[in-house]
Amino acid sequence: MTLPFTIESQTGPARLARISTAHGPVETPSFMPVGTAGTVKAVPQGILEDLGAQIILGNTYHLYLRPGHELVRNLGGLHKFMSWDRALLTDSGGFQVFSLSELRKVKEEGVSFRSHLDGTSHLFTPERSMEIQIALGADIVMAFDECTEHPAERERARASMEMTLRWAKRSKDYFEAHKHEVPWNSVPALSAENAEGMGHPTAYPTAPALFGIIQGGMYPDLRRESAERTVELDFPGYAIGGLSVGESRAMYPDLRRESAERTVELDFPGYAIGGLSVGESRAKTMEMIAVVLEILPKDKPRYVMGVGYPEEIVQYAAMGVDMMDCVLPTRAARHGLLFTSEGRINIKNARYAQDQGPADPKCACRVCARYTRAYLRHLFVSAEPLAGVLNTVHNLAYYLDTMRSVRHAITLGDLSGMLSGSVSLT
Amino acid sequence: MTLPFTIESQTGPARLARISTAHGPVETPSFMPVGTAGTVKAVPQGILEDLGAQIILGNTYHLYLRPGHELVRNLGGLHKFMSWDRALLTDSGGFQVFSLSELRKVKEEGVSFRSHLDGTSHLFTPERSMEIQIALGADIVMAFDECTEHPAERERARASMEMTLRWAKRSKDYFEAHKHEVPWNSVPALSAENAEGMGHPTAYPTAPALFGIIQGGMYPDLRRESAERTVELDFPGYAIGGLSVGESRAMYPDLRRESAERTVELDFPGYAIGGLSVGESRAKTMEMIAVVLEILPKDKPRYVMGVGYPEEIVQYAAMGVDMMDCVLPTRAARHGLLFTSEGRINIKNARYAQDQGPADPKCACRVCARYTRAYLRHLFVSAEPLAGVLNTVHNLAYYLDTMRSVRHAITLGDLSGMLSGSVSLT
């Protein structure tokens, strides 16, 4: 069984489903916390479990550079290395090397780039990406794609899409020949607890699954064509890529400031400001997702990469998206931005100095149960490491609870409450 | 009842005892984690509770500057502010302003100093220190002392000791007149769980207790005189101060490097290297403690401030010391230094890159139960925030477990195993 995907309930296009991995079940729609370097930044694994995270992401680019995929494989794979026995998904490294901008060069063979850590030269090809992801031992592996920049001229978007399709084929060929080399394949990976949560304890996969990625820029016909031709290659799941590019940071001055600061840290010879046509961009994103969802098979998981704000992920889930991931809740937390049922708050604001309420009065997470906004503000303005821990735990709780509410609403057959409560997207 | 102190068992001069505070019991000998700014750096309060910490420290200097003692009082005191309902001890601020070196000036009235945060001018007097500590609402408050530098000429050490005695009297006078103003006095502070742990649920204090501090430099006769005259002032507990000055960092090149880096960060016009006569210094420290313990009343808690290494705190407990505190386990953790039953290890060392064992094979803490040295090394060399969290949790577990073993050994009537297992001190 490649990747059992059981739809349990549907409301309109939205679906409540269950993905069965060798490392336990993933209930969808699911938001996947990002654990770039084998750690969801600042959060101990036990707390992630308590929060109910069933799957987290690892980044191929980062783990390849440090500590190195060979080392991780030698130590039994990423699950064992980071002591996480639930599901793991790794990206292909395509988006990260794309983000390196001036440091990378794209050819038919693959992408050559220089490490942001030490400037050494490296080459990622579809085959190499598969080899690394198999060594890491993810449950879900992503095809190596070219993440098309935005904006892109039509011909550029088409060429990029064609490249991604050729790379998808090469990814699949290599993956199918080597997928049983994951470090966990030789041992019984599924714990009793996970098997129980699976519903069908015997029907779990013994190898990882490879997802194809749809590109095509902001051109509906290219997206449609990319979807059709990727589906022809026949993957057990599909992702929609290239939608988080230069977009989601656009609406928020503080995130834009952060984006600038962090980009400058990477030290480029020049800088560009992207994604400024915002309202248009968010609407375009939804349009691209809608176009692609029409074509993707309904019996397989559909994953939108790198999104988004809480109101966005609710909207996309309502449209029939099953999986999403984003650095937003974790990265924003480290900058003092908290997502709450009353909107986003910047905890360093002086107005919270004597605020004895929790971060979010409607949140039941361990942070909101115990600590006040006044204390969280004090930790943040004092640059205390506990600030990052507590803020991240709350933001992840907010995202995971949001998805839990979405799943509950699907069971009840009514998502309107969730959607009306969200901020308008246009 | 000022501060009930019940000795339950004795082995030689070592005592197993219980301090009953309004916020629960403290079993002694006790090591107290340092929570400088209302947080034990990088550790959520719930984990401190799980580790069995019954008392932690707050720093008057830091909390006075940020968020300010008035704010903390308005929010119900430090216990409530940081959500910690077990015992709290605050230092007087004397040691911190002493550490400011070029930024402070000592007069009979008190110490004027400039904030390391913004350069603003402030004055700490014995009365002011009491006012701040009462506003913070600690269970145990420390007299305002002058921490004598080391080395110090005899006449300088005597003058400093005399000043500390005059300040002790002023501290006590102000404290006795105002101690019932602590923010928790008006409400029942003791939770059911804490009352139960107390043994004698009704016999807990309704106001904090003030400890006197013994100074006298490295001169046995001055230490003796300081102890005798401080005891004449009659405190419910006594501390020995001035022993962590320029000493404990001396033996370890990595800590000395850190000391240099962190001192340079404070940006002084010049720098001195202290504490180089190390073997001598550690022996002197023990001699000072021994001299003072002879004089201090045996029916009251005795606290050595700012120590030390694991082998030191075992030794001092064996000599009859009841309480100790030190930034060492927490600060060293953030620099990748782990205390283990096999000695101290520097986790960033390449030899741990593929080490699948726990930080300490004999440790039962949550970090050693779950994570490998290879993973801890990866987190540290990647500057991941989780490194500080996990390293600190382990080091605190090691210190708290060490004290637990000492208490157990006292019950069994034999401390020799603990002492022979420790590193030689001369």
Side-chain angles (χ1 to χ4, degrees):
Chain A
M1 210 140 204
T2 311
L3 189 70
F5 179 67
T6 316
I7 296 176
E8 297 176 351
S9 182
Q10 295 198 51
T11 296
R15 332 83 84 70
L16 177 77
R18 177 182 296 256
I19 301 171
S20 298
T21 80
H23 294 86
V26 177
E27 293 167 291
T28 64
S30 172
F31 177 81
M32 305 182 285
V34 176
T36 306
T39 159
V40 174
K41 285 192 193 300
V43 185
Q45 276 71 315
I47 293 182
L48 289 174
E49 290 167 354
D50 292 348
L51 289 172
Q54 296 176 311
I55 181 170
I56 62 177
L57 253 71
N59 279 118
T60 288
Y61 169 79
H62 291 91
L63 291 164
Y64 160 80
L65 290 178
R66 193 170 59 192
H69 62 293
E70 298 285 1
L71 183 145
V72 173
R73 176 170 56 196
N74 290 344
L75 298 182
L78 187 55
H79 289 92
K80 192 172 172 200
F81 180 65
M82 68 180 290
S83 186
W84 175 256
D85 76 350
R86 299 187 182 180
L88 277 173
L89 181 150
T90 42
D91 68 1
S92 67
F95 180 76
Q96 261 74 32
V97 296
F98 165 85
S99 304
L100 291 173
S101 189
E102 297 298 315
L103 296 173
R104 58 124 168 85
K105 193 167 179 183
V106 181
K107 299 170 291 191
E108 183 64 30
E109 185 190 9
V111 182
S112 56
F113 61 94
R114 294 166 70 134
S115 159
H116 74 288
L117 295 176
D118 61 7
T120 49
S121 293
H122 303 265
L123 174 69
F124 273 180
T125 63
E127 294 78 13
R128 182 73 166 152
S129 173
M130 296 304 105
E131 181 196 342
I132 297 167
Q133 292 184 73
I134 289 168
L136 296 173
D139 297 284
I140 298 175
V141 163
M142 300 304 298
F144 190 69
D145 62 332
E146 189 190 21
C147 187
T148 315
E149 67 279 8
H150 177 70
E153 293 296 320
R154 183 182 177 78
E155 279 319 297
R156 160 72 196 135
R158 165 168 286 284
S160 176
M161 179 200 81
E162 296 280 358
M163 176 90 92
T164 288
L165 280 163
R166 291 191 296 274
W167 286 358
K169 176 73 169 65
R170 285 169 57 191
S171 294
K172 191 180 176 193
D173 289 347
Y174 188 97
F175 179 82
E176 291 301 331
H178 296 273
K179 66 182 178 185
H180 288 289
E181 295 166 14
V182 281
W184 47 264
N185 186 40
S186 55
V187 295
L190 200 64
S191 69
E193 187 200 348
N194 280 343
E196 195 175 332
M198 199 86 86
H200 308 285
T202 53
Y204 60 85
T206 55
L210 175 66
F211 279 22
I213 302 180
I214 317 302
Q215 292 286 351
M218 291 298 177
Y219 301 94
D221 58 331
L222 292 183
R223 284 281 174 182
R224 203 172 287 122
E225 183 180 341
S226 174
E228 284 164 355
R229 292 170 59 188
T230 307
V231 169
E232 276 171 26
L233 292 173
D234 190 20
F235 291 98
Y238 298 91
I240 308 176
L243 293 180
S244 66
V245 180
E247 189 269 327
S248 65
R249 287 173 193 82
M251 302 175 75
Y252 299 93
D254 44 3
L255 287 189
R256 198 161 266 284
R257 194 174 301 120
E258 184 203 328
S259 172
E261 287 166 3
R262 295 173 59 101
T263 308
V264 169
E265 274 172 27
L266 293 175
D267 191 19
F268 292 108
Y271 301 91
I273 306 171
L276 287 176
S277 54
V278 175
E280 188 261 352
S281 177
R282 184 76 66 90
K284 269 279 184 219
T285 294
M286 280 185 63
E287 184 191 350
M288 295 306 113
I289 293 171
V291 159
V292 171
L293 288 179
E294 270 177 36
I295 291 159
L296 295 183
K298 299 216 180 327
D299 60 349
K300 291 184 175 173
R302 289 125 35 131
Y303 163 27
V304 177
M305 307 179 80
V307 294
Y309 286 86
E311 69 272 15
E312 271 185 286
I313 62 174
V314 170
Q315 184 89 45
Y316 302 155
M319 294 166 67
V321 171
D322 306 302
M323 303 160 69
M324 287 165 277
D325 80 281
C326 195
V327 294
L328 190 55
T330 41
R331 180 177 294 170
R334 299 195 302 281
H335 290 77
L337 304 174
L338 300 177
F339 293 96
T340 80
S341 59
E342 300 172 344
R344 217 156 51 92
I345 69 173
N346 191 332
I347 198 65
K348 78 177 155 201
N349 197 306
R351 82 171 70 158
Y352 302 121
Q354 306 211 30
D355 189 332
Q356 304 218 52
D360 182 352
K362 289 191 183 159
C363 178
C365 84
R366 64 173 72 202
V367 175
C368 289
R370 178 151 200 170
Y371 304 102
T372 62
R373 287 176 170 180
Y375 184 62
L376 295 177
R377 175 181 191 269
H378 166 65
L379 293 179
F380 187 79
V381 300
S382 304
E384 281 290 339
L386 191 57
V389 178
L390 299 184
N391 292 347
T392 304
V393 170
H394 167 74
N395 275 356
L396 284 178
Y398 187 79
Y399 267 66
L400 294 168
D401 285 347
T402 296
M403 281 296 104
R404 206 170 282 121
S405 298
V406 165
R407 292 196 298 269
H408 186 60
I410 295 173
T411 315
L412 298 179
D414 184 6
L415 273 163
S416 60
M418 300 263 349
L419 289 169
S420 64
S422 70
V423 176
S424 167
L425 294 173
T426 51
Chain B
M1 214 144 197
T2 311
L3 190 70
F5 180 68
T6 315
I7 296 176
E8 297 175 351
S9 182
Q10 297 198 50
T11 295
R15 328 84 85 69
L16 177 77
R18 178 181 294 256
I19 300 171
S20 298
T21 80
H23 294 86
V26 178
E27 294 168 289
T28 64
S30 172
F31 177 82
M32 305 182 286
V34 176
T36 306
T39 159
V40 174
K41 285 191 193 303
V43 185
Q45 275 71 315
I47 293 182
L48 289 175
E49 290 167 353
D50 292 348
L51 288 172
Q54 296 177 310
I55 181 169
I56 61 176
L57 254 71
N59 278 117
T60 289
Y61 169 79
H62 291 91
L63 291 164
Y64 160 80
L65 289 179
R66 192 169 61 192
H69 62 293
E70 298 285 2
L71 183 144
V72 173
R73 177 171 55 198
N74 290 343
L75 298 183
L78 186 55
H79 289 92
K80 192 172 172 199
F81 179 66
M82 67 180 289
S83 186
W84 175 256
D85 76 350
R86 299 187 183 180
L88 277 173
L89 181 150
T90 42
D91 69 0
S92 67
F95 180 76
Q96 260 74 32
V97 294
F98 164 85
S99 305
L100 291 172
S101 189
E102 297 297 314
L103 295 174
R104 59 125 168 86
K105 193 167 178 182
V106 182
K107 299 170 292 190
E108 183 64 31
E109 185 190 6
V111 182
S112 57
F113 62 95
R114 294 167 70 134
S115 159
H116 74 288
L117 295 175
D118 61 7
T120 50
S121 294
H122 302 267
L123 175 68
F124 272 0
T125 63
E127 294 78 14
R128 183 72 166 153
S129 172
M130 295 305 104
E131 181 197 341
I132 296 167
Q133 293 184 73
I134 289 167
L136 296 173
D139 297 284
I140 298 175
V141 163
M142 300 306 297
F144 189 70
D145 62 331
E146 188 190 21
C147 187
T148 315
E149 68 278 9
H150 178 69
E153 293 295 321
R154 183 182 177 78
E155 279 319 298
R156 161 70 195 136
R158 164 168 288 285
S160 175
M161 178 199 83
E162 296 280 357
M163 176 91 92
T164 287
L165 281 163
R166 291 191 297 274
W167 285 359
K169 177 73 170 64
R170 284 168 57 190
S171 293
K172 192 180 175 189
D173 288 346
Y174 188 97
F175 178 83
E176 291 300 331
H178 296 273
K179 66 182 178 185
H180 288 290
E181 295 166 14
V182 281
W184 46 265
N185 186 40
S186 55
V187 296
L190 200 64
S191 70
E193 188 199 347
N194 279 342
E196 195 176 331
M198 199 84 87
H200 308 283
T202 52
Y204 61 85
T206 55
L210 175 67
F211 279 22
I213 302 180
I214 316 301
Q215 291 286 351
M218 291 300 176
Y219 301 95
D221 58 330
L222 293 183
R223 283 282 173 182
R224 204 172 286 123
E225 183 180 341
S226 174
E228 284 165 354
R229 291 171 59 188
T230 308
V231 170
E232 277 170 26
L233 291 173
D234 190 20
F235 291 97
Y238 298 92
I240 309 177
L243 293 180
S244 66
V245 180
E247 189 268 326
S248 66
R249 288 175 192 82
M251 302 175 75
Y252 298 93
D254 44 2
L255 286 188
R256 197 159 266 284
R257 193 174 302 120
E258 184 204 328
S259 172
E261 286 166 3
R262 295 174 60 102
T263 308
V264 168
E265 274 172 28
L266 293 174
D267 191 19
F268 292 107
Y271 301 91
I273 306 171
L276 287 177
S277 53
V278 176
E280 188 260 351
S281 177
R282 185 73 67 88
K284 268 280 184 218
T285 294
M286 281 185 62
E287 184 192 349
M288 295 305 113
I289 293 172
V291 160
V292 170
L293 288 179
E294 269 176 37
I295 291 159
L296 295 182
K298 300 213 179 330
D299 61 347
K300 291 182 175 174
R302 287 125 38 129
Y303 162 27
V304 176
M305 306 178 80
V307 295
Y309 285 87
E311 69 271 15
E312 272 185 287
I313 61 175
V314 170
Q315 184 90 47
Y316 302 156
M319 292 166 68
V321 171
D322 306 301
M323 302 159 70
M324 287 165 277
D325 78 282
C326 196
V327 294
L328 190 55
T330 41
R331 180 177 294 169
R334 298 195 303 281
H335 290 77
L337 303 174
L338 301 177
F339 293 96
T340 81
S341 59
E342 300 172 343
R344 217 156 51 92
I345 69 173
N346 191 332
I347 199 66
K348 79 177 154 200
N349 197 305
R351 82 171 69 161
Y352 303 121
Q354 305 212 30
D355 188 332
Q356 304 217 52
D360 182 352
K362 290 190 183 160
C363 178
C365 84
R366 66 171 73 201
V367 176
C368 289
R370 179 151 201 170
Y371 304 102
T372 63
R373 287 176 171 180
Y375 184 62
L376 294 177
R377 175 180 190 270
H378 166 65
L379 293 179
F380 187 79
V381 300
S382 303
E384 281 290 340
L386 191 57
V389 178
L390 299 184
N391 292 348
T392 304
V393 170
H394 167 75
N395 274 357
L396 284 179
Y398 187 79
Y399 267 67
L400 294 168
D401 285 348
T402 296
M403 282 295 105
R404 205 170 282 121
S405 298
V406 166
R407 293 196 297 271
H408 186 60
I410 296 173
T411 314
L412 298 178
D414 184 8
L415 273 162
S416 59
M418 300 263 348
L419 289 169
S420 64
S422 69
V423 176
S424 166
L425 294 173
T426 50

